[in-house]
Amino acid sequence: MLAAIEKVPRHLFFDNTTNRPALLDHAYSDKALPIGAGQTISHPYTVAFQTEQLEIKSGDKILEIGTGCGYQTAVLLEMGAKVYSIERQKTLFDKTKIFLPYIGYGGAKLIYGDGYKGLPQFAPFDKIIVTAGAPYIPNDLLEQLKVGGLILIPLGEGENQEMIWLKKKSMSDFDRKTLGSFKFVPLLQNKSGN
Ligand code: SAH
């Protein structure tokens, strides 16, 4: 996981409409930074934590909710995962769809859509990672997980979220752990037209 993070050039992922030189100074600090459309790239520690908890194996089929600038997507690709990632903001989606292949991460399937619904057409997934704070755990996501699979989802509508880890034991039975407090932008309902 650390080797993958070391390989991904985080300084290329920022919003270039804001004060880019000022941001560049912080590219490798443990900070969330703006990526446009009012969204942020997650803290590197958060990306590392979620990635480690997912126990990625080469060839794992992963669903990511909240593509954003594609940083987490790139880390998952570096680890040999097969990545499907959904973004609800059209401007971010359009930008990241061009940007990721441009810097050498063309391997992910990027979808403009509503992450609450998941991707039934590509299910089931070995692992699901949600990178925005959810008010509840969407049932569609639980259904699209393989038996034996893991989902990591930050839960809570306030300023902080609890990181929830769920392992699907059978079609209706899950093991559950709470892995500490994190800060995410909210998981919003429906696609946005811009
Ligand atoms: N994984 C990203 C994190 C970006 S922040 C990264 O590495 O940069 C979370 C992202 O989730 C934002 O881009 C936001 O627009 C998106 N998002 C919020 N609600 C969503 C939803 N319902 N479906 C898909 N994406 C959503």
Side-chain angles (χ1 to χ4, degrees):
M1 179 277 291
L2 285 176
I5 287 195
E6 205 162 273
K7 279 196 194 141
V8 180
R10 192 169 185 260
H11 65 280
L12 298 179
F13 284 79
F14 302 121
D15 179 15
N16 50 21
T17 62
T18 50
N19 191 353
R20 195 176 165 80
L23 289 176
L24 283 180
D25 282 348
H26 301 285
Y28 294 92
S29 331
D30 192 26
K31 290 181 179 159
L33 295 165
I35 54 172
Q39 303 304 318
T40 54
I41 183 172
S42 297
H43 285 72
Y45 175 74
T46 306
V47 173
F49 185 85
Q50 283 195 292
T51 306
E52 185 167 43
Q53 291 297 329
L54 280 177
E55 298 171 24
I56 310 284
K57 290 192 292 294
S58 185
D60 270 357
K61 191 175 159 190
I62 316 271
L63 174 63
E64 178 189 21
I65 310 297
T67 316
C69 64
Y71 178 72
Q72 172 77 70
T73 314
V75 171
L76 294 170
L77 289 172
E78 280 289 0
M79 296 189 72
K82 207 164 175 272
V83 189
Y84 297 75
S85 186
I86 313 178
E87 174 56 54
R88 70 175 284 282
Q89 292 252 10
K90 186 74 166 74
T91 43
L92 268 178
F93 167 77
D94 287 341
K95 200 159 98 176
T96 302
K97 202 175 158 60
I98 293 169
F99 172 72
L100 273 184
Y102 178 70
I103 63 162
Y105 294 107
K109 174 107 183 130
L110 303 181
I111 294 107
Y112 168 53
D114 178 5
Y116 277 92
K117 302 189 176 76
L119 286 177
Q121 66 273 43
F122 296 109
F125 298 95
D126 295 300
K127 320 270 164 74
I128 300 179
I129 174 171
V130 181
T131 70
Y136 60 89
I137 303 174
N139 214 34
D140 283 336
L141 299 186
L142 298 180
E143 274 174 14
Q144 291 170 31
L145 195 58
K146 279 186 195 167
V147 171
L150 295 175
I151 177 166
L152 271 168
I153 178 165
L155 199 61
E157 289 181 279
E159 212 181 302
N160 295 296
Q161 290 78 37
E162 288 295 323
M163 187 68 74
I164 306 295
W165 173 103
L166 294 172
K167 184 171 196 162
K168 190 163 180 173
K169 305 274 282 180
S170 70
M171 291 310 277
S172 57
D173 188 21
F174 290 82
D175 278 346
R176 179 178 175 131
K177 289 194 274 190
T178 301
L179 299 176
S181 182
F182 291 82
K183 262 191 202 335
F184 283 87
V185 295
L187 187 70
L188 301 172
Q189 296 280 353
N190 303 316
K191 293 193 281 193
S192 106
N194 53 40

